[in-house]
Amino acid sequence: MEPAPAKAKPQGRLLVSSALDAKDELEERLERCVGTVQALTNGLSEREANDALTANVCKGQQQHEEVCLGLFTLVLTEPPQAQRCYRDLTLVNRDGMNVVLVKVNQILMEKFLKLQDVPRTQLVWLVRELVKSGMIGADGVVMTLLKQIAGGDISTKNLWLAESVLDILLEQKEWVLKSGMLIAMSVYTYLRLIVDHGAPNLLTLRQKEVDYCISMLREKFMECLIIGRDLVRLLQNVARIPEMELIWRDLLHNPQVLSPQFTGVLQLLTARTSRKFLACRLTPDMETKLLFMTSRVRFGQQKRYQDWFQRQYLSTAESQSLRCDLIRYICGVVHPSNEVLSSDILPRWAIIGWLLTTCTSNVAASNAKLALFYDWLFFNPEKDSIMNIEPAILVMHHSMKPHPAITATLLDFMCRIIPHFFPPLESQVRQGVFNSLTFIMEKRVLAHLAPLFDNPKLDRELRSMLRERFPEFCSPPSPPTEVKMEESVSMEMDNHVLEKEDGCYDTTEAAFSDDEEEVNNKGKKREFRFHPIKEAVVEEPADITPWLDQLDDTMKEKVQQLQKTSDTEAQCEVMQEIVDLILEDDFDTETMSSLASCLAELFKDHFRGDVLPEEITEESLDDSVCKPVCLVFRNLVTMQEDNSGFSVLLDMLAELYQKQPKIGYHLLYYLKASKAANGKMMLYESFAQATALGDLHTCLMMDMKACQEDDVRLLCYLTPSIYSEFPDETLRSGELLNMIVAVIDSTQLQELMCHVMMGTLVMFRKDSVLNILIQSLDWETFEQYSTWQLFLAHSIPLETIIPILQHLKYKEHPEALSCLLLQLRREKPSEEMVKMVLSRPCHPEDQFTTSILRHWASKYDETLGEHIKAQLIKNNNQPRKRQSLRSSSSKLAQLTLEQILEHMDNLRLSLSNTKNSCEWGRIGGRPETFSERHVLQKLSHSVIDVVCPLSCVPVFSQTPILQALQHVQASCDEAHKMRFSDLFSLAEEYEDSQAKPPKSRRKAPATSPRSRKGVAPPTNNEEDSASSSASEEEDSKPKAPKRKRKGSSAVGSDSD
């Protein structure tokens, strides 16, 4: 690393920084801790320094942390003192080095690329010392360090890191053998790195990696077996190395040599690879950038980010191998949330298509295609996820039009991989691909495959091969009239509508209504909703033989006893004995996993059917939580969290959760329904953190999704508790709300509303309700109406959510508009309400603004007049260049002067065209209903060509509006004066009424603006005309004494 140039600010000794970089907070804190340690030890001998440090750490947690971090930083920055500082650190720490381990992990994940050369070297040295000391948690640090070794990178620093970590693993082999996960993770990492280290100058390093992998595979194959099918893919890539070839042959032809429990390569290939392994081959920086592109970058704006990523990681010849890691990561790990799926964020298939186009060698291209289709080959709908196979079909589908060559090469690869992947398993591979295509159609990822497989853009030979391999998918749907409709729908479907999380796809047959494939005028397809049809379950005897042999004799006997017993009470007794054994013995990960597999298989019938009793009583609830699996819950509830057995049982539950995901919502039910668990709902948070997910929000959403698919009644039963106990996880987004309203019926909706009204359920809060309602705009009609009903049951001011009006379009969001309209009519208009209502774009078919303004005008005319005046004056004073009606450049409508005038004119026309909206007095006489008519007679008699007097709603008689119109008219151009002439005529009349003396107003009809437009004078119905004229002008200005005007009106009419 080149020395840093001179800077105005001092250069830290830990991280590389430039003159423009702000001082890193972590580095500042560590430097302060170093200062504390130096202040305590300066001028003292080693023994005195140790005594001073020990005395200081005993003062409290803060002092302990400061001393430990100070010594840790000295280890990184002062190599000559490293040994002494590490010795002091081991002597003074009081938490098993936990503070140091956490900080090492933080630096590895967040700051490793910024470390200077010396701290980087010292950090690896420190990890080696931690491993030598056998510190608990050191295996996690080593796995984090493994993640920093980049694939497809043979730079000096990366090679040094790969060799340094390998040396630690080789030197401390006995320690490594104690951690099954570390064995699997290190084997996965170095099997992948061997491919990159084929150059002559790297053969020594490669040989060390080969020897390490062979040693682990031979000695601990069952630990490596947890990697899953990707272990076969990695071994296949290195099988030509002589030593690896022997392993490869044993794997294929003599599996018992590797482990007596290993039945053959098919056992590996049918096991899905965990996300942990797929993610470990991307550095934290790569992972962050990739997740940013799949969660923040909009589709169509991704080029600059892809170019940056390619320059950073994919620009060298060696980086060709990295594309496989990226594709496997995207397919197996990146499963976007519902919010991302319902947005215009860059879809996964687009990134994969881009990665395929960047392959510059045939070998890299073939490996990339294999990585894309790898989960297809042995796909099992019951075990595998639709999200893993979806990107491949979408890449082919979306590339057909712009890049038919990509689609053709992928289809060709899919056909040829079936017989050539492993000939002895050809039938299984064929079945796996067939299962994948069938599942894709069942889940409606594509409506039909015939437009893809039998497309004219494909060459004849490929189409022939597809028809031969997949005849079931090449025939067009019948009747033929539906082909066009389905094809157009599938071509127009946005990817973010199609991509779902694992839980968003049902694993049973789906039923669709006839109108679920309607497409709106912009081609946006409404999101599918799948309603599972429950099928009869054929009960099969539980087979736990593969896992029994891995248990000790005592536990094995109890599990067999549990298997033979059918009585529930007896099963509970045996289960309690098993729990006692778990708490007594020191269970390792492998034994825990085997026991969890046995229990999941034995209790599988407990997870079928409804959990919640038909009739909810105290007795029925007690009976429902007396299942054997609830014994684990009961023991957890009765334990204190600081009890050592508590964490053991949590680990047991976490293992069981991996085998049977339904355990999550069963725990939630137990915590709510059981008297023993009263007030212990937060125990679920500890469970969530103990699972492989490690995150409360993710775990809770997955469990509620599973509950939604299995038992809607139970979902509604749990809802009040979930919202009240976990408000931060449930109220910040609409994910859980969408799950609920997607499946409830009207009765359940009414029950939830009652809970809200009684105060036992809060589903919205002020700071997030607006975002949730905006999210709901893409939901189905009943879901939206249910959401609004639940919102209205809360006592949240309408002004909190009024900005949603800017997001509503009259054709696309009728549900929200109708609910909002009904709620607005109950409210007295505020300035913000009026502003938002007026900011809606004007459209002839959109009557929302006109209808609510008219309603407000009839009830709150004075208030409405003041608010409209304020908006007219405010927008009239803005520069004209900033006003743009219905601007297409902004997603949210901006209020403009022209917009307000247009809405006002629409209101005027609406009032004018409704003859029966006001009550008239006697024909030929003076009006008797509206006293304001007499007031307006002094203004003008000229407005005689409208159908109905504007005085039927007094808003146009309000002085504030007339003054505002007068103000606007004085400053606007001729085009606007012509366009809104009828509206401005009210201002002219108001101006005339202010300028002329009272007597001259009797002759107003002869000189009024309407007379100048060529309106003929009244003939046979002068009295009617005069009455009409006076009535219309009544709304213009209610000024001057009314009695005086009443007399004036009569005289004026007689004179005419």
Side-chain angles (χ1 to χ4, degrees), residues 227-447:
I227 295 174
R229 61 174 63 114
D230 276 82
L231 177 60
V232 179
R233 181 176 65 86
L234 296 180
L235 285 170
Q236 191 175 9
N237 290 338
V238 299
R240 295 194 177 186
I241 298 173
E243 298 91 337
M244 284 295 183
E245 188 177 4
L246 296 176
I247 287 274
W248 182 247
R249 287 179 179 175
D250 287 342
L251 185 74
L252 298 182
H253 307 298
N254 196 9
Q256 295 294 315
V257 172
L258 298 172
S259 173
Q261 288 86 33
F262 182 48
T263 58
V265 70
L266 187 60
Q267 181 182 349
L268 259 177
L269 289 169
T270 53
R272 179 179 168 187
T273 299
S274 168
R275 294 181 175 193
K276 293 179 181 178
F277 298 104
L278 299 177
C280 83
R281 281 297 73 238
L282 269 65
T283 65
D285 191 57
M286 288 182 199
E287 192 170 9
T288 301
K289 300 299 190 297
L290 206 56
L291 289 174
F292 178 83
M293 283 198 284
T294 56
S295 62
R296 303 286 295 278
V297 177
R298 299 190 181 282
F299 192 23
Q301 301 175 3
Q302 70 270 26
K303 189 177 186 307
R304 57 181 293 203
Y305 302 99
Q306 290 174 348
D307 290 345
W308 181 94
F309 196 92
Q310 186 164 359
R311 285 195 307 272
Q312 189 79 3
Y313 299 114
L314 303 174
S315 58
T316 62
E318 300 80 27
S319 64
Q320 293 289 321
S321 61
L322 180 60
R323 287 157 175 79
C324 299
D325 301 332
L326 295 171
I327 290 173
R328 293 297 295 144
Y329 177 84
I330 292 170
C331 291
V333 180
V334 181
H335 294 175
S337 66
N338 285 339
E339 287 110 342
V340 174
L341 293 175
S342 61
S343 66
D344 56 352
I345 296 299
L346 180 65
R348 297 186 301 161
W349 62 263
I351 300 179
I352 291 177
W354 161 67
L355 289 172
L356 291 173
T357 61
T358 63
C359 293
T360 57
S361 74
N362 292 332
V363 174
S366 296
N367 288 336
K369 286 182 276 190
L370 180 62
L372 181 59
F373 282 103
Y374 207 63
D375 289 312
W376 287 53
L377 306 183
F378 297 90
F379 183 80
N380 183 346
E382 295 181 0
K383 297 180 180 179
D384 291 304
S385 166
I386 185 69
M387 294 293 279
N388 289 30
I389 62 173
E390 183 196 62
I393 198 70
L394 290 177
V395 170
M396 294 188 285
H397 169 70
H398 289 283
S399 300
M400 178 64 82
K401 192 172 182 180
H403 305 290
I406 292 179
T407 303
T409 188
L410 291 176
L411 288 171
D412 180 76
F413 181 87
M414 185 179 68
C415 292
R416 296 183 188 278
I417 196 67
I418 294 174
H420 295 112
F421 178 74
F422 186 47
L425 296 180
E426 180 180 353
S427 60
Q428 286 90 337
V429 175
R430 186 186 303 278
Q431 185 61 45
V433 176
F434 180 84
N435 288 344
S436 301
L437 293 171
T438 304
F439 206 51
I440 283 167
M441 290 187 64
E442 284 180 5
K443 298 308 174 190
R444 311 291 287 183
V445 176
L446 290 185

Side-chain angles (χ1 to χ4, degrees), residues 28-74:
E28 278 188 328
R29 187 189 177 202
L30 293 178
E31 286 176 355
R32 287 197 299 271
C33 294
V34 169
T36 301
V37 171
Q38 291 175 340
L40 290 170
T41 59
N42 276 347
L44 302 179
S45 65
E46 287 191 13
R47 181 165 185 172
E48 291 172 337
N50 184 263
D51 291 342
L53 293 174
T54 303
N56 193 64
V57 300
C58 293
K59 293 180 179 179
Q61 179 64 31
Q62 182 179 349
Q63 290 80 2
H64 173 265
E65 189 169 327
E66 287 176 352
V67 170
C68 289
L69 292 181
L71 292 170
F72 160 70
T73 309
L74 287 171

Side-chain angles (χ1 to χ4, degrees), residues 909-926:
L909 291 171
S910 171
L911 298 174
S912 301
N913 293 331
T914 310
K915 292 182 180 181
N916 298 324
S917 63
C918 59
E919 185 180 352
W920 286 83
R922 298 186 308 274
I923 297 178
R926 290 191 299 271

Side-chain angles (χ1 to χ4, degrees), residues 714-912:
L714 178 59
L715 177 71
C716 295
Y717 177 76
L718 292 176
T719 293
S721 297
I722 298 301
Y723 271 96
S724 61
E725 296 292 341
F726 309 109
D728 291 337
E729 312 305 324
T730 54
L731 296 175
R732 66 185 181 186
S733 73
E735 190 173 354
L736 178 57
L737 179 63
N738 191 15
M739 292 182 202
I740 296 169
V741 297
V743 292
I744 60 173
D745 58 25
S746 53
T747 303
Q748 291 160 336
L749 172 62
Q750 189 262 346
E751 290 174 358
L752 291 177
M753 291 175 67
C754 290
H755 279 295
V756 174
M757 297 289 289
M758 291 187 295
T760 57
L761 173 61
V762 177
M763 304 182 79
F764 300 99
R765 62 185 179 194
K766 289 184 180 181
D767 59 347
S768 58
V769 61
L770 178 59
N771 288 334
I772 293 177
L773 290 177
I774 292 172
Q775 292 172 29
S776 73
L777 298 178
D778 294 327
W779 300 351
E780 294 293 334
T781 294
F782 181 76
E783 297 169 15
Q784 290 194 52
Y785 279 128
S786 300
T787 301
W788 279 94
Q789 292 284 355
L790 291 168
F791 165 73
L792 295 176
H794 292 70
S795 300
I796 298 177
L798 192 63
E799 285 195 349
T800 306
I801 57 101
I802 198 66
I804 197 176
L805 270 175
Q806 295 179 298
H807 298 263
L808 303 182
K809 300 177 182 177
Y810 75 100
K811 280 193 176 180
E812 297 176 26
H813 308 125
E815 301 92 346
L817 281 171
S818 58
C819 291
L820 201 56
L821 185 63
L822 293 176
Q823 189 62 15
L824 281 171
R825 73 189 299 270
R826 299 186 179 97
E827 300 283 334
K828 183 177 180 179
S830 65
E831 184 174 352
E832 182 66 15
M833 287 182 188
V834 173
K835 177 183 176 182
M836 289 298 170
V837 167
L838 291 174
S839 68
R840 290 187 55 73
C842 299
H843 193 282
E845 298 178 26
D846 184 5
Q847 299 296 319
F848 181 90
T849 300
T850 304
S851 59
I852 191 61
L853 287 178
R854 178 162 181 164
H855 174 76
W856 281 339
S858 65
K859 294 186 69 175
Y860 310 103
D861 55 316
E862 293 183 4
T863 305
L864 180 63
E866 290 291 345
H867 293 327
I868 292 178
K869 174 188 175 180
Q871 296 303 323
L872 280 170
I873 300 296
K874 180 180 177 181
N875 285 273
N876 188 50
N877 292 334
Q878 292 180 359
R880 288 287 185 267
K881 63 180 181 180
R882 293 178 57 188
Q883 299 176 9
S884 172
L885 183 60
R886 290 171 291 188
S887 171
S888 60
S889 63
S890 175
K891 287 190 173 181
L892 299 181
Q894 299 297 321
L895 183 59
T896 65
L897 176 63
E898 187 175 4
Q899 207 167 358
I900 300 174
L901 292 174
E902 193 164 351
H903 283 309
M904 295 296 293
D905 206 40
N906 287 342
L907 177 61
R908 182 190 62 79
L909 291 171
S910 171
L911 298 174
S912 301

Side-chain angles (χ1 to χ4, degrees), residues 90-101:
T90 58
L91 291 173
V92 303
N93 87 89
R94 297 289 183 269
D95 62 352
M97 290 286 208
N98 184 60
V99 171
V100 175
L101 290 171

